[in-house]
Amino acid sequence: MTTLMRWDPFRELEDMSDRLNRMFARPAVRTNGKETLTVADWSPTVDISETDGEYLIKAELPEVKKDDVKVTLEDGILTIQGERRREKDEKTTKYHRVERSYGSFVRSFSLPDQVDENGVKAEYRDGMLNLRIPKSEKAKPRAIEVKVA
């Protein structure tokens, strides 16, 4: 069975723009209110998911030391910033190709209104930063019993 999808030329243009920006190591600046990217040396990729109880942001930060990563939360904006440092070149090293990006990065995300900002937890392991952002009690779905009159 084949699933048909509606063609969205604007989505394709945005995808192509994102690929070109990644190729040139310059993130796009979005102003749609959902995400703002600050132009930096490179931009780590992220996955954002949601369960009934929390939001999870996973950021790929290969070869970035824990001490070079800073996470802040201010006025509903979660910011991940840091730096991937280039290895010190030895005078005998001859590079044939360098495709990985180095330098500073910044990613910022607007959080929904109904999150528990005091309960945010960050874990960094094996080049992955996992940010768990719990939902406030108001935002969690709950079952309401229906009585027969």
Side-chain angles (χ1 to χ4, degrees):
M1 180 174 181
T2 303
T3 304
L4 295 177
M5 287 183 58
R6 180 177 292 253
W7 178 58
D8 183 356
F10 296 107
R11 183 181 48 189
E12 285 188 22
L13 285 171
E14 184 177 340
D15 289 344
M16 186 174 66
S17 174
D18 287 343
R19 281 183 288 205
L20 286 170
N21 286 325
R22 278 195 305 267
M23 186 172 73
F24 292 111
R26 292 287 178 224
V29 178
R30 298 178 192 199
T31 57
N32 63 1
K34 295 188 181 206
E35 179 177 351
T36 303
L37 299 180
T38 303
V39 175
D41 294 329
W42 68 286
S43 181
T45 56
V46 298
D47 290 338
I48 301 174
S49 59
E50 175 183 4
T51 64
D52 288 343
E54 70 180 3
Y55 296 94
L56 174 63
I57 299 176
K58 289 184 169 189
E60 287 184 348
L61 304 173
E63 297 186 9
V64 176
K65 295 179 182 172
K66 178 183 173 256
D67 294 337
D68 291 334
V69 177
K70 181 180 177 185
V71 178
T72 57
L73 179 58
E74 187 176 341
D75 297 327
I77 305 291
L78 180 86
T79 302
I80 305 167
Q81 60 187 8
E83 183 176 2
R84 179 164 50 197
R85 300 175 193 277
R86 183 176 221 143
E87 297 172 5
K88 292 185 178 182
D89 292 341
E90 296 177 20
K91 293 182 180 184
T92 60
T93 303
K94 180 179 177 182
Y95 288 96
H96 293 276
R97 180 177 294 193
V98 177
E99 293 183 349
R100 296 182 298 155
S101 299
Y102 297 92
S104 63
F105 64 87
V106 177
R107 294 290 308 259
S108 295
F109 306 94
S110 296
L111 297 180
D113 291 333
Q114 297 182 341
V115 298
D116 178 9
E117 291 187 359
N118 295 322
V120 176
K121 293 183 178 154
E123 178 185 88
Y124 188 67
R125 184 178 55 203
D126 298 331
M128 289 295 297
L129 175 65
N130 294 317
L131 298 167
R132 296 187 177 281
I133 305 150
K135 294 181 178 179
S136 65
E137 290 301 317
K138 293 188 295 187
K140 293 179 182 175
R142 63 173 212 244
I144 299 172
E145 183 181 341
V146 178
K147 297 181 180 180
V148 177

